[in-house]
Amino acid sequence: MSHWDVVIAGAGAGGGVAAYVLAAAGKRVLLLDRGRWLDFATTGRDHLRNHRLATYGHNTGPELVGNPRVFVDVHGTEHVVAPNSSDYHHNASAVGGGTVVYGGQAWRFHPLDFRMASTYGSPSGSSLEDWPISYDDLAPYYELAEWLVGVAGGPPSSQMPERRGYPMPAHVLHRKGRALRAAAEKMGWETQSVPLLMNSVPWDGRAACSNCQQCVGFACPVDAKNGTQNTAIRRAIETGNCRVWDQAVASSLSFEAGRVTGLRVFRCGSWHEIKADAVVLACGAIETARLLLHSRTAQEPNGVGNNSDQVGRHLQGHYYPNAFGQTDEPLWDGIGPGPTTATLDFNHGNDGVIGGGLLADDFVMLPIIFAKWWRPPGAPAWGQANKDWMREGYRRSLMVTGPVHEIPSPDSRVELSSRVTDRFGIPVARLSGTTHPETVRTAEFMEARAKDWLRAAGVREVWSKPQALRLSAGQHQAGTCRMGVDPATSVVDPWGRVHGHENLVIADGSVHVTNGGFNPVLTIMALAWRSAERLVGVNVEFSPLSD
Amino acid sequence: MAVADDLRETLRGALDRMIPADDDPGALDLDCDRFVLELLDSDAELAAFYENGLRNLHAEGFDSLPPDEKDRLLSELESCSSRDGWAVSPSAFVEAMAQHAMEGFYTHPKGWQTVGFEVTL
Ligand SMILES: Cc1cc2nc3c(=O)[nH]c(=O)nc-3n(C[C@H](O)[C@H](O)[C@H](O)COP(=O)(O)OP(=O)(O)OC[C@H]3O[C@@H](n4cnc5c(N)ncnc54)[C@H](O)[C@@H]3O)c2cc1C
Ligand code: SF4
């Protein structure tokens, strides 16, 4: 078919959900991704080549050769980096995008996360702003995403609004979680279970989680992890209205007389002009910005949506303050995936800092990660003493961590490199800038709370990785095409449509004005639903019971 | 060959000190030398770095030292960012060997057993 109702570039979290909504509404959809269909068999369990530790590669796309980016460090020096470098700020390329290998924490943002500037004021030099929509606007779509993709969890903390329950009960509580709950209670902190996009019971025709020890960064051996590839995209295909092309790279938008008419796509060795009534971009916050900047017309000579020089700015992610230490008795019971217990007491209302974030326990840690990341300062790096420390410490280790609401900077940005191109000769993304210094202060505040929590759990010596000013984008990348009502200060309108282009919608983390004090994926999914629905003009409901 | 034959023994000797065998296996028991050689085969820059580090270690008489003397020499090197005759930084070299030994060792199921990382699926 040469003409589609909608073509979607990027089959990750946002693109996958948009595909489902559009296909369920009867639209003929072409969903394409530069990555491949992947599963456990094709991604494996290499502890040095995965999306938690990518020392020598990773287990999704893109290929390490032919897809560079340029990273500008804090001294202004440019580095050409490969996809497995942390400076590449990669998420994951595959049908399903990041959701194939993610940790599946399924947080809603806090109502005040949408109103950061009016709650705290916007510090000078930052681009902290309110969202043009509120929590209440998004709440129904959060619920739809929770049921479509499948969340397991318990009731929310009293810090959050009431909501309907999840389709599945919370995952098993392990010993570390029990210890942290007891410690929180001692301090008068409230805790809740960590909502996870993983089956705690058999669901949606797939197995329950086997509580294995190698979850985050890997695909699931029993297909109990709910990504878009096995939920939203599968259901989109089942409608009969959606075709998926994997290994298909979108390079730029096509136009007639300034109106978007489709996408230029490379697949199976040649270039294709894909025509569609509407285009949805969901390539992730870095690649969506790059595609817009690379699509130029007489009316928009600096890139589509970029007449106000906003595309690519406000690139943000999350700082992850943490605290680490050892309990007297081993608490390791090996029950995965790992995050069981969170507090939302410090997301807002903290004296002297802007915002805050959640704190929780973490995924079961791979031994090599323990060895590389968690040696305390001054401890021996090799030899008998290091081996003893590993043996003694691994099963007694306890960690608390969580994402901090970033205070964005307009100078943290994606541009096109003027000298480096990819395997097609297209300029690659150039990443530069850092977050605003206020983010570091908030991260330090949260680090202190993480330490409090461990000490209350009986950890005598607590340490952390120090916080420093840097670019944070990474796996939680967001903000490069922010949403707003004013085209002078934003790229898309409150429905994800690029200003001035009613048939061009952005449905990924790019549109976040700020990135919440929570992992972002559920918000990306909810927004994609809402924007896709608006594009077709009909409400799309979902209930697994109606199957 | 990423590492000249006469330096293989130096490499093995140094890796053995990075993670010595005791009641549990050590780096050599879990083939960390092969792990490093494979790494060097795929990375010419790293191979040249190792070649220089091992050549200097060898020249300092490392191979014939008893274990605790080997450790003493490695500790001393670990604290030197430069040293006469060395083209590479001794501390970076020791640090790299420690990282690579751990990468080979703690990604091996028998290395997991030493710390109690039990895998159920
Ligand atoms: C290991 C890991 C753990 C994570 N854990 C969590 C978690 O617990 N909770 C949470 O909320 N978030 C988590 N995340 C982050 C989460 O996965 C991302 O926030 C989310 O996937 C972003 O959604 P997106 O739609 O913006 O982009 P993505 O999901 O990244 O999808 C973008 C897709 O676009 C494709 N693409 C890019 N460029 C092109 C092009 N030119 N043409 C065609 N296709 C293209 C890519 O291949 C990719 O598949 C994790 C991520 C990782 C990697
Ligand atoms: S912990 Fe559960 S969901 Fe995660 S990979 Fe293992 S079995 Fe799958």
Side-chain angles (χ1 to χ4, degrees):
Chain A
M1 183 165 19
S2 57
H3 194 101
W4 297 84
D5 291 334
V6 187
V7 57
I8 304 174
V17 168
Y20 169 73
V21 172
L22 295 168
K27 295 296 173 190
R28 288 168 314 121
V29 177
L30 176 63
L31 174 64
L32 51 93
D33 201 285
R34 69 174 174 176
R36 291 179 291 147
W37 283 100
L38 295 174
D39 57 16
F40 180 69
T42 48
T43 53
R45 275 180 164 166
D46 186 331
H47 285 197
L48 295 167
R49 293 173 188 81
N50 61 76
H51 282 274
R52 192 68 155 184
L53 187 63
T55 313
Y56 300 114
H58 53 210
N59 48 3
T60 71
E63 301 290 323
L64 301 193
V65 175
N67 301 286
R69 282 178 183 159
V70 172
F71 172 73
V72 184
D73 66 24
V74 287
H75 310 294
T77 309
E78 285 199 349
H79 306 267
V80 179
V81 289
N84 67 315
S85 157
S86 61
D87 293 334
Y88 191 89
H89 292 273
H90 191 32
N91 193 354
S93 244
V95 176
T99 74
V100 177
V101 294
Y102 65 2
Q105 296 200 28
W107 296 103
R108 296 181 178 200
F109 286 180
H110 190 281
L112 290 179
D113 290 351
F114 298 85
R115 301 186 46 73
M116 289 295 285
S118 41
T119 306
Y120 298 99
S122 190
S124 141
S126 84
S127 48
L128 193 66
E129 275 189 40
D130 289 353
W131 288 55
I133 63 173
S134 69
Y135 174 88
D136 290 338
D137 293 323
L138 209 50
Y141 299 96
Y142 273 134
E143 183 176 314
L144 286 163
E146 285 159 356
W147 284 76
L148 174 71
V149 187
V151 178
S157 143
S158 64
Q159 304 287 338
M160 291 295 288
E162 301 258 311
R163 56 162 167 72
R164 182 184 175 195
Y166 293 126
M168 290 171 277
H171 282 250
V172 185
L173 180 60
H174 49 44
R175 286 174 68 190
K176 291 183 183 183
R178 279 199 294 273
L180 286 170
R181 283 183 194 196
E185 201 168 322
K186 263 199 298 195
M187 296 186 293
W189 296 6
E190 185 187 3
T191 58
Q192 67 157 88
S193 62
V194 175
L196 292 170
L197 289 145
M198 294 171 202
N199 295 349
S200 58
V201 293
W203 188 77
D204 197 31
R206 287 174 293 108
C209 165
S210 296
N211 303 111
C212 81
Q213 300 75 25
Q214 302 165 74
C215 187
V216 67
F218 301 96
C220 174
V222 296
D223 207 16
K225 196 187 277 195
N226 300 322
T228 52
Q229 80 287 352
N230 56 6
T231 60
I233 296 172
R234 192 200 82 225
R235 286 178 185 275
I237 294 169
E238 283 167 5
T239 64
N241 294 329
C242 177
R243 174 96 53 91
V244 179
W245 281 5
D246 72 344
Q247 303 177 72
V249 185
S251 70
S252 54
L253 293 156
S254 315
F255 297 88
E256 273 165 32
R259 184 181 164 83
V260 174
T261 54
L263 276 174
R264 208 169 134 65
V265 175
F266 187 85
R267 184 174 188 251
C268 296
S270 58
W271 289 96
H272 306 259
E273 282 294 334
I274 306 298
K275 297 284 174 205
D277 292 343
V279 175
V280 174
L281 297 181
C283 299
I286 293 172
E287 291 301 318
T288 287
R290 175 181 172 219
L291 197 151
L292 287 178
L293 293 171
H294 183 59
S295 303
R296 296 171 178 207
T297 66
Q299 294 83 4
E300 294 172 294
N302 299 317
V304 169
N306 198 32
N307 279 357
S308 306
D309 188 26
Q310 288 295 304
V311 172
R313 290 190 181 274
H314 323 293
L315 174 61
Q316 55 198 292
H318 283 122
Y319 271 53
Y320 254 85
N322 48 49
F324 193 83
Q326 282 163 8
T327 52
D328 291 344
E329 294 300 316
L331 291 177
W332 202 87
D333 57 16
I335 294 177
T340 64
T341 302
T343 183
L344 277 54
D345 285 6
F346 305 101
N347 279 82
H348 289 283
N350 301 311
D351 277 347
V353 296
I354 296 174
L358 80 92
L359 287 175
D361 48 359
D362 202 39
F363 294 87
V364 176
M365 194 175 293
L366 303 180
I368 185 59
I369 290 185
F370 183 75
K372 278 180 176 290
W373 295 353
W374 289 115
R375 194 160 42 88
W382 54 271
Q384 187 68 46
N386 178 269
K387 187 180 189 188
D388 291 343
W389 182 77
M390 287 289 300
R391 266 188 310 219
E392 260 293 289
Y394 179 72
R395 287 171 75 108
R396 292 194 292 116
S397 68
L398 190 62
M399 171 178 167
V400 166
T401 187
V404 160
H405 198 136
E406 184 158 340
I407 291 96
S409 158
D411 300 328
S412 166
R413 67 191 295 199
V414 179
E415 296 168 283
L416 294 182
S417 170
S418 56
R419 61 180 188 98
V420 180
T421 56
D422 66 9
R423 63 192 167 115
F424 301 115
I426 300 170
V428 303
R430 176 185 191 268
L431 313 177
S432 62
T434 70
T435 187
H436 190 276
E438 282 293 331
T439 307
V440 180
R441 288 205 326 119
T442 306
E444 282 166 349
F445 174 89
M446 292 307 299
E447 178 183 303
R449 300 294 76 71
K451 287 179 169 171
D452 290 343
W453 202 352
L454 286 197
R455 288 197 189 96
V459 176
R460 277 190 283 246
E461 225 180 299
V462 178
W463 67 95
S464 301
K465 293 196 191 163
Q467 307 297 321
L469 198 63
R470 58 180 171 83
L471 179 69
S472 69
Q475 297 174 340
H476 290 188
Q477 59 187 260
T480 53
C481 303
R482 59 176 17 181
M483 179 182 269
V485 287
D486 183 356
T489 55
S490 59
V491 177
V492 301
D493 74 8
W495 303 99
R497 294 174 299 210
V498 174
H499 291 302
H501 295 278
E502 54 166 34
N503 67 339
L504 176 59
V505 170
I506 298 181
D508 60 21
S510 312
V511 304
H512 291 192
V513 177
T514 59
N515 209 21
F518 299 89
N519 312 52
V521 82
L522 195 73
T523 301
I524 294 170
M525 291 171 175
L527 282 166
W529 195 308
R530 182 173 176 273
S531 297
E533 226 182 52
R534 182 64 170 217
L535 181 65
V536 287
V538 295
N539 289 347
V540 175
E541 295 301 330
F542 175 77
S543 163
L545 305 176
S546 66
D547 276 10
Chain B
M1 280 306 115
V3 168
D5 281 347
D6 65 320
L7 296 179
R8 294 276 167 117
E9 216 30 56
T10 314
L11 175 66
R12 288 172 54 82
L15 290 173
D16 177 58
R17 298 322 301 155
M18 293 295 116
I19 307 176
D22 50 14
D23 291 345
D24 285 322
L28 296 183
D29 300 311
L30 301 191
D31 292 333
C32 291
D33 49 339
R34 205 182 64 202
F35 176 88
V36 172
L37 289 172
E38 281 172 9
L39 264 189
L40 301 188
D41 268 338
S42 65
D43 187 336
E45 206 179 314
L46 190 63
F49 175 84
Y50 260 85
E51 173 82 20
N52 186 265
L54 291 173
R55 178 81 51 213
N56 283 298
L57 201 54
H58 182 72
E60 306 224 16
F62 180 80
D63 295 358
S64 55
L65 296 174
D68 54 336
E69 292 290 322
K70 281 184 170 153
D71 285 358
R72 200 164 308 150
L73 176 55
L74 288 165
S75 296
E76 190 188 323
L77 295 172
E78 196 185 13
S79 63
C80 310
S81 58
S82 64
R83 193 174 170 94
D84 271 359
W86 285 66
V88 301
S89 145
S91 65
F93 178 61
V94 174
E95 153 88 19
M97 284 197 298
Q99 287 295 318
H100 295 147
M102 290 195 294
E103 287 170 6
F105 192 85
Y106 293 112
T107 57
H108 193 297
K110 288 194 177 136
W112 299 347
Q113 273 174 20
T114 67
V115 297
F117 176 71
E118 286 162 18
V119 169
T120 53
L121 178 76

